[in-house]
Amino acid sequence: MAAAGLRADTAFLCGLLLSALRPPSPESSTGPDAEPVSVLVCAHNELENLRRLLPLLLQQDYPAGFELLLIDDRSEDDTYLFVQQLTQYYPHVRLVTVNKTPDGLAPKKYALTLGIKVARYERMVFTDADCIPATNQWLRYMQRGFDKPADVVLGYSAYAEENGFLNKLIRFETFLTGAQYLSFAWRGQPYMGVGRNLGYTRQVFQLTKGFASHIRSLSGDDDLLVQDAVARGARVAVIADPGAHTLSEPAQTWGEWWRQKRRHLSAGRQYWFADRLRIGTFIGVNLLFYSTAIGLLFSRPDWVPLAAVWLVRTVAMMAVYYQLGRRLEDRLPLAWLPVLDAVYFFYYLALGMSLFLYRTLRWK
């Protein structure tokens, strides 16, 4: 079983590698910037993050012009006053205020819907308040995804590097998730994006009837919308250039990250069966490998075959992750990869069991 798990695991990782190493298309680095864009940020009590983010968005080098639409979702801090002051100096900054969410609706999805309704332009790019664009060319890169042509543009969002094992694990999980959804999109099988770095057209939003199919689910304003759009024939482009990345602040405690991942993974119940099967195969093969290896460790006196299998898999895994890291310019220390890989998959198993047993979730 361990050998079978090794072969399947290695084959899957190599498939990701082949997709991730595909050369970027010419449109990702050159192309017209003639279409104006709406940049939307939804924020709930995010004043300090907005003080850092909004100046960087205002500094974006984008010739055709853009509007910056800040959606103040029931904030109790001074978000309203801060953005109002900006609107006096920057006419392309606009504020949408949400005072109350109707009962039973997901707050962020309701707030985004109100923002999208008043956005001026057909093309819309989304990020979160706790992110920053990697460069002042971020908007150029993301907008060029529409010219491939595409109706949905998927970007990559990494987490900032800090000290500690938790930070390494968060960055590893984000890197691995990004490698999966970007690779499948490159192959023509897109199944998700991340709201921290995502673009789509107004036509796509109307085609999917917004978030109607999952408006009561707390998560899914990004991945479930992408799935609905793909099901209705929307074209998807990937912009993985380092200049198009966004960078987020990671959770500072295990409890905070646990709650965050529970919320994100809760949308998985509504994925299409084929998408769940693909993701489940990857997780299942890895869990099979680790569980089989542990079983053999305690049941067989001859540890040499087990050590050989483990070594081959580890070398293959490190080679694949190293190449993916180079492609995305998001590198983790190689020596930590075997440990992070093992901890991640057992952590993922614990999250899955938690969601199965305790389904109550809360939004901030």
Side-chain angles (χ1 to χ4, degrees):
M1 292 178 65
L6 167 66
R7 288 194 298 269
D9 188 24
T10 304
F12 196 93
L13 289 172
C14 288
L16 289 180
L17 172 61
L18 292 175
S19 294
L21 294 181
R22 180 177 297 181
S25 59
E27 292 89 350
S28 64
S29 56
T30 60
D33 299 301
E35 291 289 335
V37 185
S38 294
V39 179
L40 287 82
V41 181
C42 186
H44 174 73
N45 291 335
E46 298 272 11
L47 178 60
E48 292 308 312
N49 286 328
L50 291 174
R51 291 185 191 277
R52 182 181 63 156
L53 169 65
L54 296 189
L56 297 176
L57 292 180
L58 292 170
Q59 293 169 16
Q60 289 297 301
D61 179 19
Y62 190 69
F66 64 95
E67 68 165 343
L68 176 53
L69 194 59
L70 191 284
I71 308 165
D72 179 12
D73 180 18
R74 303 164 294 120
S75 296
E76 298 172 348
D77 54 17
D78 291 330
T79 293
Y80 176 84
L81 295 176
F82 174 65
V83 180
Q84 277 287 76
Q85 291 175 346
L86 284 179
T87 61
Q88 297 176 18
Y89 300 97
Y90 299 94
H92 60 302
V93 176
R94 301 171 61 204
L95 176 65
V96 175
T97 303
V98 181
N99 295 316
K100 183 180 179 181
T101 302
D103 292 340
L105 302 188
K108 185 177 181 182
K109 293 175 184 177
Y110 177 73
L112 282 173
T113 299
L114 296 185
I116 291 169
K117 283 184 176 180
V118 301
R120 290 174 177 154
Y121 304 121
E122 171 69 13
R123 298 178 176 183
M124 300 177 290
V125 177
F126 300 80
T127 190
D128 286 345
D130 59 353
C131 292
I132 59 171
T135 68
N136 71 342
Q137 303 298 307
W138 167 73
L139 189 54
R140 276 184 188 251
Y141 278 107
M142 291 297 290
Q143 125 75 18
R144 287 173 184 173
F146 292 111
D147 289 329
K148 285 188 178 288
D151 310 296
V152 178
V153 181
L154 309 181
Y156 179 66
S157 182
Y159 277 101
E161 181 178 355
E162 298 176 359
N163 294 326
F165 181 76
L166 175 60
N167 178 261
K168 291 182 177 64
L169 185 59
I170 291 173
R171 288 165 52 217
F172 176 80
E173 186 273 336
T174 303
F175 166 76
L176 189 55
T177 300
Q180 290 180 54
Y181 77 79
L182 294 177
S183 294
F184 278 117
W186 270 315
R187 291 172 170 179
Q189 298 175 311
Y191 69 89
M192 69 166 284
V194 292
R196 306 189 299 274
N197 200 2
L198 179 67
Y200 48 84
T201 63
R202 183 187 307 279
Q203 184 178 9
V204 160
F205 192 73
Q206 294 170 345
L207 187 67
T208 62
K209 298 181 180 179
F211 307 112
S213 68
H214 47 91
I215 190 65
R216 297 183 183 277
S217 299
L218 287 179
S219 60
D221 58 278
D222 40 23
D223 48 0
L224 295 181
L225 183 133
V226 169
Q227 293 203 358
D228 284 349
V230 170
R232 288 162 177 79
R235 301 162 298 179
V236 177
V238 174
I239 300 295
D241 305 73
H245 294 179
T246 60
L247 193 64
S248 302
E249 288 294 323
Q252 299 299 309
T253 66
W254 287 90
E256 181 184 350
W257 190 51
W258 177 270
R259 290 187 294 272
Q260 182 184 87
K261 293 311 300 177
R262 270 177 50 86
R263 190 171 68 242
H264 292 169
L265 291 177
S266 66
R269 303 190 193 101
Q270 296 176 256
Y271 279 21
W272 297 102
F273 176 75
D275 297 322
R276 283 186 288 165
L277 184 62
R278 285 197 293 265
I279 301 169
T281 299
F282 179 66
I283 298 297
V285 165
N286 281 278
L287 289 175
L288 175 63
F289 172 82
Y290 282 113
S291 59
T292 303
I294 292 174
L296 291 175
L297 182 65
F298 289 99
S299 64
R300 295 186 60 181
D302 186 2
W303 56 267
V304 175
L306 175 60
V309 169
W310 190 287
L311 179 62
V312 172
R313 180 197 180 276
T314 299
V315 171
M317 179 267 294
M318 293 177 69
V320 170
Y321 289 175
Y322 175 74
Q323 293 297 333
L324 287 169
R326 288 184 59 188
R327 175 70 177 88
L328 294 175
E329 288 199 5
D330 186 10
R331 297 181 178 90
L332 285 161
L334 281 178
W336 278 98
L337 289 181
V339 177
L340 294 170
D341 185 72
V343 172
Y344 164 75
F345 285 107
F346 285 106
Y347 191 85
Y348 200 100
L349 177 62
L351 277 169
M353 294 174 62
S354 170
L355 281 172
F356 179 78
L357 296 172
Y358 307 102
R359 301 196 175 192
T360 302
L361 297 169
R362 293 183 180 180
W363 198 256
K364 57 185 178 180

